Amino acid sequence: MTLVDAVSHLSPERWERAGRLLVRKALAEFAHERLISPEPEAESAGTYVVRSDDGVTRYRFAAIVRALDHWQIEPDSITRHRDGTELPLDVLDFFVELRNSLGLSDEVLPVYLEEISSTVSGICYKLAKPEVTSAELARSGFQEIETGMAEGHPCFVANNGRLGFGIHEYLSYAPETARPVRLVWLAAHRSRAAFTAGAGIEYESFVRQELGARTVERFRARLTDRGLDPADYLLLPVHPWQWWNKLTVTFAAEVARGHLVCLGEGDDEYLAQQSVRTFFNRSHPEKHYVKTALSVLNMGFMRGLSATYMTATPAINDWLARLVENDPVLKSTGLSVIRERAAVGYRHLEYEAATDRHSPYRKMLAALWRESPVTSLQEGETLATMASLAHVDHTGASFTGALVERSGLAPAEWLRRYLRAYLTPLLHSFYAYDLVFMPHGENVILVLKDGVVQRAIFKDIAEEIAVTDPDAALPPEVRRIRVEVPEDRKLLSVFTDVFDCFFRFVAAHLAAEGVLAEEDFWRTVADVVHEYQDANPELAEKFRRYDMFAPEFPLSCLNRLQLRDNRQMVDLADPSGALQLAGTLKNPIAGL
């Protein structure tokens, strides 16, 4: 690829269209989070105006305000005006003109603008790809759906920053480019590295199974050729970007001393998933995913992996898998978890001595292996990331609507089956075990048959589950997941993560298409909650204490977190401590 070809997706027309789409999202989500207050135009029903910080520039647009204060804005209706003159819409100017309203500090603003630029560039790339309709995508395979997502996280405006990737690296490693990747393998000296695994897994056999005997022997030979004993080392997969851009420089002393030895690329080809640092084995889909450390800033976090956290990861996964397997309610929904079965973490002792636990220097070299969902499929079943339910194609048709049409079911019945597979396990985990997930679209895989959701698979377990009961009896190796959450915020795990950050978008898309009215969507949600509660009367006291039908709930704002600190939004050990609340939202199932 030539230097010119690498930026061929960045044309004036695509940049204008991509910028318009992002301004639409910014207006919608910032209005939802009450950072801006659109004013209705008296002379034009359904038209609103947002003014810049200095009051000089006006953004005018048409919108429908739906349940949960969801602003559905028509992108082509957005115009920008100053002193009676219409100006071109400029995505970067938008954030500069509203920087005070958005609370962007002098320190954060330029970095946030860089994340916005990267996000818009990514939209340009997606606009340049061959157009695939939602109906076509609904009949596609797991990885075609995974790499076909256009939006990323539905709430975050700067959701594809990936700061650290150059354009050639974006084209090589971004999930939407669907380029096969071979992982770099290092030998990590056991004096600084540790392998931990779930029950029944032994290092040597596991590595041979994942890499193949021939590759393992090739790597061992490279160590012995250097006069090193392979028994002194652990094999560790590394993202190619991390090797070239971080480890060869930041860990140069470790390489020089032979604590880290580069063995070369593995033989299998992988595809990056929506989370960017996790890879699906394309050569052997039945083998494990590999999740790698990646010191790239994306959506409020440096996407590293903590070597310290890795030590307990397999045990936490085994604990959760046993809980799911032994609970009749969870089992009846078909829920399963794909476990993170093994992990390797490398500790750089000098950086540890120089930093606190939050430091990205402690998260540069670790990896884990997660089970593949492919082996669990039955005849006629396919897989799709749940993020796909929020996807809309270039014609405005939603992926969810396409699945409903393919299924032949009434829309409410299709929705009911999805909710029983996804929402019911979340409710039961919360009420029976005080256990909460981070069940956003990228963390859930749906098993489909003829367009109908059969069951759900939860993933990304160890870093993103929590037990909110301070007195819960947990095994010592699992106690890390216990967190303190104020009573009045515990149910936000459902109201925010599920209702506000996911169902809000799916419901709006279905309503806009005329597939399912909003009131029917939320009535179906209410019916499934009632169904669960009626079937589990022994939990009635918990249902009263944490009321799913409360009139309102606090509005927890994700963009406010990123706008305040786009490098470390929250401490995962204290997820409620950093919440940015902005009033309340009316509960769409209250009274139903």
Side-chain angles (χ1 to χ4, degrees):
M1 176 178 294
T2 67
L3 293 171
V4 174
D5 290 339
V7 292
S8 61
H9 59 290
L10 296 177
S11 68
E13 297 78 17
R14 289 197 196 103
W15 187 265
E16 193 283 331
R17 184 61 186 170
R20 177 173 294 276
L21 292 174
L22 197 77
V23 169
R24 180 216 64 78
K25 183 174 185 177
L27 287 167
E29 289 308 299
F30 294 157
H32 173 73
E33 295 191 9
R34 300 166 189 175
L35 286 158
I36 57 176
S37 300
E39 304 165 9
E41 277 199 337
E43 65 272 18
S44 181
T47 302
Y48 298 83
V49 172
V50 166
R51 301 180 188 278
S52 61
D53 292 335
D54 61 10
V56 174
T57 306
R58 299 163 65 247
Y59 290 86
R60 187 173 181 270
F61 55 90
I64 298 172
V65 185
R66 299 191 179 275
L68 292 171
D69 286 356
H70 181 72
W71 288 76
Q72 197 159 44
I73 298 172
E74 169 52 48
D76 291 330
S77 73
I78 303 170
T79 53
R80 178 183 178 218
H81 306 266
R82 186 184 299 150
D83 298 329
T85 302
E86 182 172 340
L87 304 174
L89 201 61
D90 186 288
V91 63
L92 298 180
D93 281 349
F94 174 86
F95 293 95
V96 173
E97 290 165 358
L98 289 163
R99 60 180 297 182
N100 294 330
S101 299
L102 302 179
L104 283 163
S105 68
D106 291 346
E107 181 183 5
V108 172
L109 176 60
V111 184
Y112 191 76
L113 289 178
E114 187 178 359
E115 291 187 272
I116 291 294
S117 295
S118 178
T119 300
V120 177
S121 177
I123 298 172
C124 288
Y125 180 86
K126 294 166 190 173
L127 291 174
K129 292 174 68 175
E131 294 177 341
V132 178
T133 66
S134 288
E136 292 171 314
L137 206 60
R139 296 180 179 275
S140 299
F142 181 29
Q143 290 306 296
E144 287 76 20
I145 295 170
E146 183 79 24
T147 58
M149 297 300 94
E151 182 55 61
H153 196 292
C155 297
F156 284 104
V157 176
N159 64 9
N160 281 317
R162 300 165 185 166
L163 299 190
F165 277 1
I167 186 62
H168 59 298
E169 293 156 333
Y170 168 84
L171 295 172
S172 298
Y173 306 131
E176 58 266 26
T177 66
R179 299 286 173 85
V181 176
R182 292 181 189 268
L183 299 179
V184 174
W185 285 83
L186 305 182
H189 199 274
R190 289 176 183 265
S191 63
R192 296 194 172 200
F195 175 84
T196 53
I201 291 182
E202 184 269 331
Y203 171 76
E204 291 289 346
S205 58
F206 180 80
V207 167
R208 286 183 178 271
Q209 177 184 333
E210 283 298 302
L211 280 168
R214 182 181 303 173
T215 304
V216 170
E217 291 308 317
R218 184 172 83 243
F219 289 167
R220 288 172 63 91
R222 288 184 180 165
L223 289 171
T224 56
D225 288 348
R226 292 186 52 170
L228 302 172
D229 185 353
D232 292 338
Y233 290 84
L234 297 171
L235 298 184
L236 173 55
V238 172
H239 194 296
W241 185 95
Q242 194 76 351
W243 170 249
W244 287 111
N245 292 275
K246 285 295 176 184
L247 302 180
T248 55
V249 177
T250 312
F251 281 46
E254 305 300 280
V255 176
R257 293 169 182 157
H259 292 148
L260 292 174
V261 180
C262 184
L263 303 172
E265 293 181 341
D267 295 327
D268 288 353
E269 291 186 338
Y270 291 83
L271 287 174
Q273 302 297 276
Q274 286 287 310
S275 61
V276 183
R277 58 180 169 164
T278 302
F279 291 95
F280 178 85
N281 193 318
R282 190 178 83 152
S283 300
H284 299 279
E286 73 284 356
K287 288 186 180 181
H288 290 72
Y289 288 93
V290 179
K291 185 174 182 178
T292 58
L294 185 63
S295 299
V296 165
L297 182 67
N298 193 50
M299 220 163 63
F301 289 101
M302 193 69 75
R303 297 290 161 170
L305 273 185
S306 166
T308 301
Y309 264 48
M310 290 304 98
T311 57
T313 288
I316 293 170
N317 279 260
D318 282 351
W319 172 84
L320 181 63
R322 287 192 300 270
L323 185 150
V324 170
E325 181 65 25
N326 293 327
D327 184 280
V329 176
L330 296 177
K331 202 167 177 61
S332 71
T333 67
L335 176 71
S336 62
V337 296
I338 45 177
R339 293 171 292 176
E340 291 150 0
R341 296 291 282 144
V344 173
Y346 187 90
R347 298 178 60 188
H348 193 299
L349 303 182
E350 292 77 12
Y351 285 129
E352 286 192 8
T355 60
D356 65 17
R357 66 186 177 89
H358 297 291
S359 173
Y361 286 95
R362 295 191 179 201
K363 302 174 183 178
M364 287 189 180
L365 188 49
L368 64 81
W369 288 267
R370 179 187 296 143
E371 292 173 315
S372 169
V374 171
T375 57
S376 69
L377 293 181
Q378 300 173 15
E379 184 68 29
E381 292 181 337
T382 58
L383 299 167
T385 175
M386 196 178 79
S388 60
L389 297 190
H391 172 73
V392 176
D393 69 16
H394 57 284
T395 71
S398 73
F399 183 79
T400 303
L403 290 178
V404 172
E405 182 174 357
R406 185 182 176 197
S407 74
L409 297 174
E413 178 57 26
W414 185 95
L415 178 62
R416 190 181 311 275
R417 296 194 190 189
Y418 160 60
L419 294 171
R420 286 171 176 165
Y422 169 64
L423 180 59
T424 299
L426 294 174
L427 294 174
H428 188 65
S429 296
F430 177 82
Y431 286 111
Y433 301 106
D434 296 279
L435 171 66
V436 297
F437 295 82
M438 197 176 286
H440 56 66
E442 197 277 321
N443 271 357
V444 180
I445 298 171
L446 300 176
V447 179
L448 303 169
K449 187 172 184 179
D450 299 324
V452 182
V453 177
Q454 306 296 303
R455 59 189 184 277
I457 301 170
F458 290 178
K459 66 182 182 71
D460 220 353
I461 301 303
E463 288 191 284
E464 298 194 344
I465 66 169
V467 171
T468 62
D469 177 5
D471 301 318
L474 297 172
E477 64 273 20
V478 177
R479 287 175 188 162
R480 185 185 83 202
I481 68 172
R482 184 173 17 232
V483 298
E484 290 188 22
V485 179
E487 281 288 298
D488 61 348
R489 297 185 184 180
K490 287 185 176 180
L491 202 48
L492 283 182
S493 65
V494 177
F495 284 143
T496 297
D497 294 345
V498 180
F499 280 26
D500 190 35
C501 293
F502 199 73
F503 287 176
R504 172 165 64 96
F505 299 93
V506 178
H509 293 328
L510 292 177
E513 291 182 278
V515 175
L516 185 66
E518 270 194 292
E519 54 267 32
D520 293 329
F521 182 99
W522 291 109
R523 187 177 296 109
T524 306
V525 173
D527 288 348
V528 170
V529 176
H530 282 302
E531 176 185 80
Y532 165 70
Q533 294 187 347
D534 291 345
N536 296 276
E538 71 280 3
L539 295 170
E541 192 277 327
K542 293 281 286 285
F543 299 152
R544 284 191 294 272
R545 191 192 317 170
Y546 307 110
D547 185 7
M548 282 292 299
F549 298 95
E552 59 187 20
F553 59 85
L555 167 58
S556 182
C557 303
L558 300 189
N559 282 288
R560 284 177 181 259
L561 289 170
Q562 189 180 16
L563 292 164
R564 181 190 63 182
D565 183 351
N566 59 342
R567 295 180 183 274
Q568 178 72 31
M569 290 195 307
V570 297
D571 178 1
L572 292 175
D574 181 22
S576 68
L579 292 182
Q580 292 282 296
L581 304 179
T584 61
L585 290 173
K586 182 181 177 182
N587 183 358
I589 67 170
L592 296 180

